[in-house]
Amino acid sequence: MPPPPPPAVTSLPHQCSVLLRRLAASRSLPPSSFLRALRCLHARLLTAGLLHAPSHPHLTLRLTHLYTLSRDLPAAALLFRSNPCPVAATSLVAAHAAAGRLPAAVSFFDAVPPARRDTVLHNAVISAYARASHAAPAVAVFRSLLASGSLRPDDYSFTALLSAAAHLPNLSVRHCAQLYCSVLKSGAGGALSVCNALIALYMKCEAAEATRDARKVLDEMPAKDELTWTTMVVGYVRRGDIGAARSVFEEVDGKFDVVWNAMISGYVQSGMVKDAFELFRRMVLGRVPLDEFTFTSVLSACANAGFFVLGKSVHGQVIRLQPDFVPEAALPVNNALVTLYSKGGKIDDAKRIFDSMKSKDVVSWNTILSGYVESSCLDKAVEIFKEMPYKNELSWMVMVSGYVHGGRSEDALKLFNCMRAEDVKPCDYTYAGAIAACGELGALKHGKQLHGHLVQLGFEGSNSAGNALITMYAKCGAVKEAHLVFLVMPNVDSVSWNAMISALGQHGHGREALDLFDQMVAEGIYPDRISFLTVLTACNHAGLVDEGFHYFESMKRDFGIIPGEDHYARLIDLLGRAGRIGEARDLIKTIPFEPTPSIWEAILSGCRTNGDMELGAYAADQLFKMIPQRDGTYVLLSNTYSAAGRWVDAARVRKLMRDRGVKKEPGCSWIEVGNKVHVFLVGDTKHPEAHEVYHFLEMVGAKMRKLGYLPDTKVVLHDMEPHQKEHILFAHSERLAVGFGLLKLPPGATVTVLKNLKICADCHAAIMFMSKAVGREIVVRDVRRFHHFKDGECSCGNYW
């Protein structure tokens, strides 16, 4: 037999070509391994003299392209500079544009001589400008393509141009129409990608008729795909035309899950949660693929609307499909689940889901942190905050706000200062939280400093910050400054009006508060239930009973707002303090629900004022059943008996209080002096300057007696000698704080004191005389309202 023929000898260029193709197909290699293999091939081409060889140009081009895939862009650029051909330039333009390096991408286009540029290279540059939202340069490149004479734009050219044109400033229907005409003249009007880009362009245009033209393009398209329908649906949703979006959606022929997701998202954004859930149900029944976007939208909708049971049923679907989720896809779904259970009052279940998550991001941590804050589990929230591996502005904002709402304003300010010390820049919402803390503490100087920071940072136009400033100044006794903030706010909303009405009411300006409410309505701002609550409170502080009834009746009659327990409680309190306890008793009978603790507290307070012992005792019994551990009930009932001289009954109530382990909240007052808050308790001797304060009050007391002040010992509700009662009155916390302020603040400065309980009648009278004796304005904020004392008078007119 003849010997077998020798094996064919494969040429080296062919071997290199095969190796380059194999490497291009092995993109699953780790990046480092891929780059190492690529450099080995580069070296082989270089030693064999095949790099930039005129007979084998495809080898260099393929090598350049692989370098762009490896992200070693400098090596690709070096190969290109040796031979700036349009094919290599196209790869480099695309790679640098994808990396966000637009100037470098354009430089490769410029490096190719105009005579050598082809349509594909022009398309790459137009797409690069479109990716960077630069419309004008993209149009200029397109025009250069038309001006070349030898080149013609193709479907990709128009698709890229239309995508770029969507970013034109002041985009008009005329611009869109001109581009549409160019598409039709070129014969590209039947291309699917071009039509999709045209629809997207029209939907970007703000003019109302643009949607009509987009619909025309849709109707004339010979074929449609998922992107077509999604663009139309999303475009209508962005314009707020959910009806048109639904109409287009119902025309879709095919189980395009992206379109379904877009429609569900539109329903959610429009607050149409039931429609979103019904569409989700149709997806399940129609076996349309469900993905992480579907579940995230539906779960978020259920959480925000309070549809917890529906959300749990969606969770069941998630459990069945979760094995198909990759970790990246599961993350937003799990975050939505944590939100659902947190808002549904199941914070422990939310924490279990959080702990089971294989991967977490800052959204995950912020979600569980917000859940604990909203569930009033502040200590748990603090633990989560400390554990967080990474925090953003939202993390700090949530924690600052949580401290404020949890009654820990000092901690809120400490955390805010810590945030700034760590060089995290607070947003306007975080500033609003810190400003609210200043208001709770009465820290006016600190609040003014934060106001200055807001102006410096350009946040003065923020509604959240402005509303917080109104409340802060009002709570610190500076109602004029609060009103000034309200007047200069560029945009006021219902919260702003409510805050200002509340401020005026708290400071005894009842008529002005009602006038402002009427002005709000006249300006077209629709009042809400909070608006009426502030108005009723203003009437309460000013004794405007008839006006209070008028606004109470106006709620439902004129605005369709059903009065709640808080509105009834305010009206009952108003009647009781005006001495009309019989009307308050009759009003209770008309309430369309069982009286709540706040209503019985208002009745009990009115009985204390009017001496109706029978009704007061009944109200107290109801409160003992509802909230047996509330100290205010025992104190108020005991004081009612004491005021009537029924010492045995008063002692019986105090014994009952002790037996049930209920402790009375101690009265305390505080004042800010020298950037420090000084706190005083009744009979305080622990303050380092207490002795000096008592001595000063004795001196001022002598002047007060000359002006006619006599201690009102009836407010001391204990059976003891008159001189003992006078001693107790002398050491009340608000009087000590006022004395300290008069001693330490500069002459003429207003003394502002805050108190956690209601000011007693004797201290009210004493501070009126004190203001006249020392010639200073004194402001006291108690648990109910503000009292501005000046020249022996009080802003409340002795009605509080």
Side-chain angles (χ1 to χ4, degrees):
M1 292 182 62
V9 178
T10 305
S11 66
L12 183 59
H14 180 70
Q15 291 177 2
C16 292
S17 180
V18 170
L19 290 172
L20 286 168
R21 283 200 304 271
R22 288 178 179 173
L23 185 59
S26 62
R27 293 293 291 125
S28 58
L29 282 174
S32 57
S33 301
F34 181 86
L35 185 58
R36 187 162 52 249
L38 180 59
R39 286 173 176 164
C40 289
L41 280 172
H42 187 173
R44 187 167 184 177
L45 289 172
L46 191 62
T47 55
L50 295 175
L51 201 61
H52 305 300
S55 56
H56 303 287
H58 68 285
L59 295 175
T60 305
L61 290 177
R62 184 160 288 174
L63 185 69
T64 304
H65 179 65
L66 288 175
Y67 267 121
T68 62
L69 296 178
S70 74
R71 305 298 175 87
D72 189 353
L73 298 184
L78 189 63
L79 289 171
F80 168 79
R81 292 191 185 98
S82 302
N83 181 21
C85 73
V87 177
T90 301
S91 294
L92 284 160
V93 167
H96 282 79
R101 302 174 186 176
L102 182 62
V106 175
S107 71
F108 296 110
F109 173 79
D110 294 337
V112 178
R116 297 188 63 191
R117 295 172 186 165
D118 57 14
T119 300
V120 179
L121 179 56
H122 281 84
N123 294 347
V125 177
I126 296 171
S127 296
Y129 279 124
R131 180 192 287 267
S133 304
H134 294 336
V139 173
V141 175
F142 183 80
R143 285 175 176 166
S144 72
L145 171 62
L146 295 176
S148 65
S150 59
L151 301 176
R152 288 177 57 82
D154 57 16
D155 298 349
Y156 297 103
S157 310
F158 281 106
T159 302
L161 175 67
L162 293 168
S163 299
H167 301 288
L168 279 171
N170 302 317
L171 179 67
S172 67
V173 174
R174 183 175 58 85
H175 292 137
C176 299
Q178 288 175 344
L179 290 167
Y180 193 9
C181 289
S182 298
V183 168
L184 294 176
K185 286 180 182 178
S186 71
L192 181 60
S193 63
V194 175
C195 291
N196 285 341
L198 267 172
I199 290 174
L201 180 68
Y202 275 117
M203 284 301 189
K204 284 271 188 174
C205 182
E206 296 294 333
E209 59 268 29
T211 55
R212 177 199 62 200
D213 296 330
R215 179 75 212 202
K216 181 182 177 184
V217 174
L218 176 72
D219 292 337
E220 295 177 354
M221 289 176 66
K224 305 171 182 68
D225 65 359
E226 190 172 26
L227 180 59
T228 313
W229 299 111
T230 305
T231 305
M232 286 295 297
V233 169
V234 171
Y236 279 124
V237 167
R238 284 176 177 168
R239 290 169 176 268
D241 193 347
I242 198 70
R246 175 163 39 199
S247 178
V248 170
F249 172 78
E250 295 299 344
E251 298 177 33
V252 178
D253 183 17
K255 297 180 180 179
F256 300 132
D257 58 306
V258 176
V259 187
W260 289 73
N261 289 341
M263 194 65 236
I264 287 177
S265 178
Y267 281 136
V268 173
Q269 291 175 34
S270 302
M272 302 169 66
V273 180
K274 290 185 178 179
D275 296 89
F277 193 82
E278 174 60 24
L279 194 56
F280 172 75
R281 192 183 66 82
R282 285 174 56 189
M283 284 185 76
V284 175
L285 295 176
R287 299 187 181 280
V288 179
L290 306 174
D291 59 18
E292 68 274 16
F293 299 105
T294 317
F295 286 117
T296 302
S297 293
V298 176
L299 286 168
S300 299
C302 292
N304 294 333
F307 295 161
F308 180 65
V309 176
L310 290 180
K312 285 188 70 175
S313 68
V314 178
H315 187 190
Q317 292 283 346
V318 174
I319 293 172
R320 283 189 285 273
L321 293 176
Q322 197 157 15
D324 298 327
F325 281 170
V326 296
E328 293 77 11
L331 180 58
V333 178
N334 285 328
N335 289 342
L337 282 170
V338 173
T339 302
L340 172 73
Y341 282 93
S342 297
K343 291 191 173 182
K346 307 292 184 181
I347 189 63
D348 292 336
D349 292 331
K351 184 60 163 59
R352 275 192 289 272
I353 295 170
F354 176 81
D355 291 337
S356 68
M357 292 169 61
K358 295 179 180 178
S359 62
K360 302 180 182 73
D361 60 3
V362 69
V363 176
S364 315
W365 287 96
N366 285 341
T367 302
I368 192 64
L369 178 68
S370 300
Y372 275 120
V373 168
E374 291 171 4
S375 302
S376 301
C377 302
L378 198 53
D379 291 336
K380 290 286 187 179
V382 173
E383 292 176 12
I384 291 291
F385 186 78
K386 291 178 179 178
E387 291 176 19
M388 292 177 71
Y390 26 70
K391 304 178 180 74
N392 59 9
E393 289 180 7
L394 179 61
S395 317
W396 294 87
M397 184 200 77
V398 168
M399 203 61 238
V400 169
S401 300
Y403 274 134
V404 174
H405 293 300
R408 295 169 59 176
S409 294
E410 288 188 38
D411 291 325
L413 287 181
K414 288 177 183 177
L415 187 64
F416 180 80
N417 293 332
C418 178
M419 177 184 184
R420 296 176 62 196
E422 294 191 15
D423 205 27
V424 180
K425 294 182 179 179
C427 64
D428 54 334
Y429 293 103
T430 313
Y431 267 102
I435 290 168
C438 292
E440 294 299 324
L441 294 171
L444 181 59
K445 290 182 180 178
H446 199 162
K448 286 183 174 180
Q449 290 175 355
L450 294 180
H451 189 177
H453 294 164
L454 281 174
V455 174
Q456 290 175 351
L457 294 171
F459 289 151
E460 65 268 28
S462 164
N463 268 33
S464 60
N467 295 338
L469 282 170
I470 293 173
T471 303
M472 182 275 293
Y473 278 119
K475 286 190 172 183
C476 292
V479 69
K480 291 181 180 178
E481 287 82 350
H483 196 204
L484 182 60
V485 171
F486 175 78
L487 292 175
V488 301
M489 283 178 67
N491 299 297
V492 292
D493 54 17
S494 60
V495 178
S496 316
W497 289 92
N498 291 345
M500 195 63 236
I501 293 168
S502 176
L504 291 170
Q506 282 184 328
H507 287 267
H509 307 303
R511 293 289 180 185
E512 292 89 337
L514 301 189
D515 290 342
L516 191 62
F517 176 85
D518 293 338
Q519 181 186 340
M520 176 182 77
V521 175
E523 293 191 14
I525 305 296
Y526 200 82
D528 55 20
R529 62 182 316 278
I530 302 299
S531 308
F532 282 100
L533 199 60
T534 58
V535 166
L536 290 172
T537 303
C539 292
N540 200 350
H541 290 324
L544 305 174
V545 181
D546 293 336
E547 291 83 351
F549 266 109
H550 165 74
Y551 286 105
F552 184 84
E553 292 168 357
S554 173
M555 285 179 65
K556 185 175 182 180
R557 183 187 67 231
D558 301 328
F559 299 98
I561 300 173
I562 306 299
E565 60 171 279
D566 42 5
H567 299 99
Y568 277 101
R570 291 290 194 283
L571 189 59
I572 289 171
D573 194 39
L574 172 61
L575 289 169
R577 291 170 61 196
R580 296 160 65 169
I581 194 66
E583 293 179 57
R585 184 193 296 108
D586 295 338
L587 181 61
I588 290 181
K589 299 175 183 177
T590 68
I591 296 177
F593 49 81
E594 288 296 321
T596 59
S598 60
I599 292 173
W600 287 119
E601 284 177 343
I603 285 289
L604 181 56
S605 178
C607 293
R608 162 75 175 86
T609 304
N610 295 274
D612 189 331
M613 305 303 302
E614 183 180 352
L615 181 59
Y618 180 77
D621 285 340
Q622 300 304 310
L623 288 168
F624 290 149
K625 295 174 184 176
M626 294 178 178
I627 42 175
Q629 295 303 115
R630 178 78 62 85
D631 66 323
T633 305
Y634 299 88
V635 173
L636 198 53
L637 181 61
S638 172
N639 291 349
T640 302
Y641 282 133
S642 298
R646 294 171 58 172
W647 304 110
V648 175
D649 290 326
R652 178 177 56 79
V653 174
R654 288 196 294 272
K655 181 178 184 301
L656 179 65
M657 187 177 180
R658 288 193 300 272
D659 292 343
R660 292 182 177 179
V662 180
K663 294 184 178 180
K664 178 182 178 297
E665 180 184 4
C668 70
S669 302
W670 59 98
I671 181 171
E672 183 182 18
V673 175
N675 295 323
K676 183 180 178 181
V677 176
H678 297 260
V679 181
F680 293 87
L681 300 174
V682 60
D684 204 326
T685 58
K686 294 184 178 179
H687 191 279
E689 297 179 78
H691 178 74
E692 188 179 356
V693 171
Y694 281 112
H695 180 66
F696 173 78
L697 288 176
E698 287 179 2
M699 293 173 54
V700 175
K703 295 181 181 180
M704 290 161 54
R705 283 184 170 84
K706 289 181 181 179
L707 293 173
Y709 166 69
L710 290 174
D712 183 4
T713 56
K714 293 193 301 295
V715 302
V716 181
L717 303 175
H718 296 281
D719 191 10
M720 57 178 62
E721 295 298 322
H723 70 278
Q724 293 175 308
K725 293 185 177 183
E726 284 189 31
H727 178 74
I728 290 176
L729 292 173
F730 184 77
H732 274 191
S733 66
E734 57 264 52
R735 208 174 301 196
L736 296 177
V738 168
F740 181 77
L742 292 171
L743 265 175
K744 297 300 177 180
L745 290 173
T750 300
V751 176
T752 302
V753 169
L754 284 72
K755 180 177 172 62
N756 67 329
L757 302 176
K758 183 181 176 183
I759 187 173
C760 78
D762 180 69
C763 284
H764 189 271
I767 296 173
M768 281 200 299
F769 279 101
M770 199 180 297
S771 69
K772 189 172 184 179
V774 298
R776 297 272 286 274
E777 182 177 1
I778 302 170
V779 179
V780 176
R781 185 190 89 185
D782 69 7
V783 72
R784 281 183 173 267
R785 60 173 300 161
F786 275 89
H787 300 269
H788 294 256
F789 301 94
K790 189 175 182 180
D791 297 327
E793 301 290 338
C794 179
S795 60
C796 73
N798 292 329
Y799 184 91
W800 82 102

